[in-house]
Amino acid sequence: MEEFLYSNIKEIIPDLKEINTLLTEIKKTTDALSKSDLDTLASEAFHTAGRYGKKAADYLSAYKEAAYDGFPDAGGIAELSLAAQSAGNITAELAGQFINATDKAFRLGGSVSRLKEILDGASAISSHNAINMTDLAEGMSLAGEYAAALGLGADEAAAALASIISATGQDGSEAAQTLKSILLNIQQITDAEPGNLLNADLLGSLDNPQGSDALNGFLGNYSMYESMLQDYAKGAGSMAAQAEVSASSWEGAMNRLSNTWTDTVGNVANPNAMLTIINSLNGILSVVNKLTKELGSLGTVGLGAGLLASFKNVGRDKTYSLFWS
């Protein structure tokens, strides 16, 4: 038991340090946050991250980026990011790009509810049509602004990209470039010959075989595009449902367990108190490591008892009182 505690206490120190660093950076980014606000934020990080099978640091990292980007509801955006990551198995970086690009393209003003509608719709298209969410998110990030500028809604852009991906096997970046080429050529033809948009003219205007093949595939599967629009429209709650599946996975369960252990041992509601724990544990563990090298395995039992005694002396009552004072 002593060895187990020693091993696991030592293991969570990097997590505690990362959380403290993120809280410090958030404080620098958002001066309006009081000590009480940071206490609440730390608690919310564990609670919210656990729902999506993520770690508290994942939530705080997303919060920090959202605050830095000027979103009025950084907490709401951070939760959206975690939901997107978990639902679509996409990276934190791509989730952030998707949210930022979509907000900018469709001029949403940081509205969490409107962003959620778009992410729900994209998630529904992805899950109902076996479209890799990484490709769709990447495509929307790269082509969303251009599509919106030419009058497409988020639903039309997502369905068009998904149709191109499905029909051609292109990845998100390629599909984005194809959609932009198609839209550009449509605009050029309609500007030159208003009311006279012929399919053959459009195909001929594309200056590369790949673009022509993609458009031909898209037009040949137009019913799929319409079906994807319907999937998007019925997408409410899709992201949460997909995220729940991921959160119930082995990895999600282990992350929740890690959150619980870190929160229990470190109880990071107060960053200053967390520093006390980290510094104390670091000092204790440094001594233990040095003694272990000198004494070898014969000193293991005694060292384990000494560690527990030292940890108690840090001490439990004193440390926890710091959190709630």
Side-chain angles (χ1 to χ4, degrees), residues 137-158:
E138 184 178 22
M140 285 289 284
S141 298
L142 295 173
E145 186 171 10
Y146 191 82
L150 293 182
L152 269 68
D155 57 341
E156 295 170 317

Side-chain angles (χ1 to χ4, degrees), residues 31-55:
D31 291 334
L33 289 177
S34 65
K35 174 183 175 298
S36 176
D37 293 330
L38 288 175
D39 292 349
T40 301
L41 178 59
S43 297
E44 287 177 352
F46 285 101
H47 177 70
T48 304
R51 291 209 307 270
Y52 298 102
K54 296 293 183 181
K55 289 191 173 184

Side-chain angles (χ1 to χ4, degrees), residues 12-183:
I12 66 166
I13 287 179
D15 290 339
L16 292 172
K17 285 183 175 180
E18 183 179 12
I19 291 169
N20 180 68
T21 297
L22 287 167
L23 288 171
T24 301
E25 291 175 353
I26 288 170
K27 174 61 177 173
K28 291 178 181 177
T29 302
T30 313
D31 291 334
L33 289 177
S34 65
K35 174 183 175 298
S36 176
D37 293 330
L38 288 175
D39 292 349
T40 301
L41 178 59
S43 297
E44 287 177 352
F46 285 101
H47 177 70
T48 304
R51 291 209 307 270
Y52 298 102
K54 296 293 183 181
K55 289 191 173 184
D58 297 328
Y59 175 88
L60 292 174
S61 180
Y63 185 103
K64 182 192 73 171
E65 294 301 323
Y68 180 80
D69 291 331
F71 282 99
D73 183 2
I77 295 297
E79 183 170 354
L80 271 185
S81 177
L82 262 59
Q85 292 173 46
S86 186
N89 193 28
I90 63 177
T91 65
E93 181 181 8
L94 181 55
Q97 290 174 354
F98 187 14
I99 291 171
N100 271 287
T102 300
D103 181 67
K104 180 180 178 182
F106 299 98
R107 300 181 181 181
L108 304 181
S111 170
V112 173
S113 61
R114 294 184 67 188
L115 281 165
K116 183 178 180 300
E117 288 176 8
I118 295 174
L119 267 62
D120 267 340
S123 179
I125 289 176
S126 171
S127 61
H128 292 166
N129 299 278
I131 302 295
N132 189 312
M133 189 61 184
T134 295
D135 288 332
L136 186 52
E138 184 178 22
M140 285 289 284
S141 298
L142 295 173
E145 186 171 10
Y146 191 82
L150 293 182
L152 269 68
D155 57 341
E156 295 170 317
L161 283 164
S163 297
I164 292 170
I165 291 169
S166 179
T168 67
Q170 293 181 347
D171 62 23
S173 177
E174 293 168 334
Q177 188 57 49
T178 295
L179 179 59
K180 289 166 73 173
S181 296
I182 290 172
L183 294 175

